[in-house]
Every structure is written in C-alpha cells, then in structure tokens.
Amino acid sequence: MSDKIPEGNRSARERLARQREQEKGREKRRRTLIVASAVVGVLALAAVVGLIAANVSKDGGEDTASGPAIAPSGASGEDALTLPVGAADAPSTLTIWEDFRCPVCAQFENALRDTVSELVNDGQVRVEYHLATIIDGNLGGSGSLRAANAAACAQDAGKFAPYHDVLFSNQPPEPDDAYGKNSRLIELAGKVQGLDTPEFRSCVEDGDHDSWVKKSDTAFRKGGFQGTPTVLLNGESVFPSKDGEQISPAALKKWVLAANKGKKPGTAAPSDPDAPAPSSAASSSASPEGSATAGGSATPSPQGDGPADPAAPSSAAGS
C-alpha cells in the first residue's frame, strides 16, 4: 500500500489551510483595529481629564496663573524665588523646597518645628523657603498652587512664617484637595493674628502670585531635585540623612552647630520679629512623633532627641 496522499486530497487540504490562514489574518486585523480604537479613546479621555485638571482653580474658577510673575514682598535670591526667615547674617543657611499638599513635608514640620525655631531665634541659621506644586501634578487639583499663592500673600503681610505653620498643621489628607478652595485658605488665615484683612483676601482670591508660584515650581524641576521636601544645609543634603545618620531634632542641631563652630551668631532682625518661629519645613524626612495643634505649634515628642524615622519624599514627577 502506498504511503503517498492522493493528489485530490492534498489539494483540498491545502485550500482549507489557506482559508484558515486568511481567516486568522482577518481576525488579527479586526482585533488590532479594536485595540487601536480603544487606545485612542483612552488617550482622548486622558487629554480631556488633564485639560480639566489643568484649568481647575480656586473655588472652581479658571486658572489665573498667567501674566507676569509678581514676587511677594521681601522675596530674595535668583528671580526673587526665595522666602527668607531669620537673621540675614546667620552663619548657616537651611534651604527648603516644599509643597503644602506634601504629607511628608507636614510630618517634618510637625516633628522638627521647635528645633528649627530655636536655631533661627538663636541666630544660628537662616531658612530659605522655596515652594513647589508637584502634588497637583501627581494627583490633580490645585491645592498646592492655591496654598502657595496664599502663603506668598501672607509674606506680603509679613506673616509668612506663622501662616506657613498653620497650613502644615492643618494639612488635609493628600488626595483631598481642600486647599484648592480659597475659602479654606482664608479661614485658616484667621488663626494668624492680623492676617485676615481685605488686602490678604483680595490677594488670595485674585491669585496675585500664581505665576510666581509656577515659576518657582519650574525652578524646582529644573534643579534636578528628587522630591519634596528637599532640605539642604549650606548646600549639602541633610534629608533623609547626612553621613549615614538619620535626620532628627538632635541631629539637625548637631549638624548646624558643627557647621557654625567658631562663627558668630547672626544679629540681623528676623523678617517678621512678631511672628512665631518658623516651622522647620526642612526636608520631609522625619516622621512626626508629636502632634501639631491647629494654631501651628507642635507638642514636643518625648523622643524628640532620638533618630526620626525617615519618610520617602513626594515624587517630583508629580506626587
């Protein structure tokens, strides 16, 4: 018996095979078209959502961060993007980049506020605050921008330091864009004596410093920083650690005093002598072991001199 397939049967099988291949090709093209259509739809939806988020502003109005960047009174440094607190001639400088929606920034503020206040009041350090809006970029909303503008308005009134502390002490949960409402920011201004004035309200509601805040955020991103808070002592990063030692109230004080050895304390008057000492805002790294009151003062931790547990900074990519 021959083991060869008859010619007629071979032709039939070949035709069936070709038909199956053609059907597979048509099915593949159909699926590709469906997937491509779905991707286009998703991208279009993302673009719409992004556009809505980008244009949401204070209490539902349009984003006012356009026009020339108007720096708040007393701002200094390159492009007037620095908000200084403390003696101008202090021997050391603590540079802090922060976002008012950043939970790690609030943790650091509430844990190290008293230590930074002491160092500022003793003329050992001058704090230079810089504002960023990365949480708005990561989660959407406008709370970072709105709060930063309000803080700049407080700077105009000579009340930046106490209002800064109030914002961090009353910070909403990260996904909650409560600071996107000017009414909430004005309400919190009532906790700072003499701040809730018609001038302050107008500055907040009109977004006088929105463009300045955006310029500051651009500088943050161009600076190559990894997230907020970013804290530098005389240009050297001290968050979340320095030389293998985690940041803590005791460690920060030790580092500052070592840097100032043999140098005289600053004597120039702080930018706002009547304001409570500034919050540390310095680098988001210590997790708070004490709780902050609504007025901005922190209850000292019984372990305040021990090492603080480091917390990861918010991502500069948008969180």
Side-chain angles (χ1 to χ4, degrees), residues 159-244:
K159 303 291 183 180
F160 170 77
Y163 186 62
H164 164 279
D165 290 350
V166 165
L167 288 177
F168 277 119
S169 296
N170 292 273
Q171 185 188 74
E174 187 176 13
D176 182 355
D177 194 31
Y179 282 174
K181 295 184 177 180
N182 289 331
S183 56
R184 176 56 175 161
L185 298 170
I186 292 172
E187 177 187 0
L188 290 176
K191 296 180 179 293
V192 177
Q193 185 177 6
L195 179 57
D196 188 4
T197 63
E199 291 78 14
F200 174 79
R201 289 184 172 226
S202 176
C203 180
V204 171
E205 292 170 348
D206 294 342
D208 285 359
H209 300 299
D210 281 1
S211 292
W212 176 84
V213 172
K214 286 200 167 185
K215 189 173 184 179
S216 179
D217 182 67
T218 297
F220 170 79
R221 295 173 187 274
K222 289 183 176 180
F225 303 115
Q226 298 302 308
T228 57
T230 289
V231 184
L232 309 172
L233 176 60
N234 299 326
E236 179 183 2
S237 176
V238 294
F239 171 76
S241 63
K242 177 181 181 295
D243 298 331

Side-chain angles (χ1 to χ4, degrees), residues 34-65:
I34 292 173
V35 172
S37 299
V39 170
V40 170
V42 169
L43 291 177
L45 178 60
V48 171
V49 172
L51 182 61
I52 292 173
N55 286 280
V56 169
S57 78
K58 44 185 190 174
D59 296 343
E62 292 185 356
D63 193 342
T64 59

Side-chain angles (χ1 to χ4, degrees), residues 6-7 9 34 62 65 69 83 85 91 110 116 161 164 166 183 189 204 219 243 261 273 292 297-298 303-304 306:
E7 188 66 27
N9 290 343
I34 292 173
E62 292 185 356
L83 299 180
V85 174
N110 297 334
V116 173
H164 164 279
V166 165
S183 56
V204 171
D243 298 331
K261 186 175 182 180
S297 62
Q303 300 177 353

Side-chain angles (χ1 to χ4, degrees), residues 74-161:
S76 61
E78 185 176 357
D79 294 330
L81 297 178
T82 300
L83 299 180
V85 174
D89 58 346
S92 283
T93 300
L94 193 67
T95 303
I96 300 170
W97 289 88
E98 59 191 357
D99 182 327
F100 286 110
R101 286 182 70 186
C102 164
V104 186
C105 297
Q107 289 172 0
F108 182 86
E109 286 291 336
N110 297 334
L112 291 173
R113 177 175 293 121
D114 290 345
T115 301
V116 173
S117 297
E118 179 184 346
L119 292 169
V120 168
N121 291 336
D122 289 346
Q124 296 296 326
V125 72
R126 166 188 175 93
V127 184
E128 295 186 344
Y129 292 99
H130 298 265
L131 306 181
T133 61
I134 62 175
I135 305 297
D136 285 358
N138 284 354
L139 299 183
S142 60
S144 299
L145 172 64
R146 300 262 51 78
N149 172 70
C153 294
Q155 170 72 14
D156 287 336
K159 303 291 183 180
F160 170 77

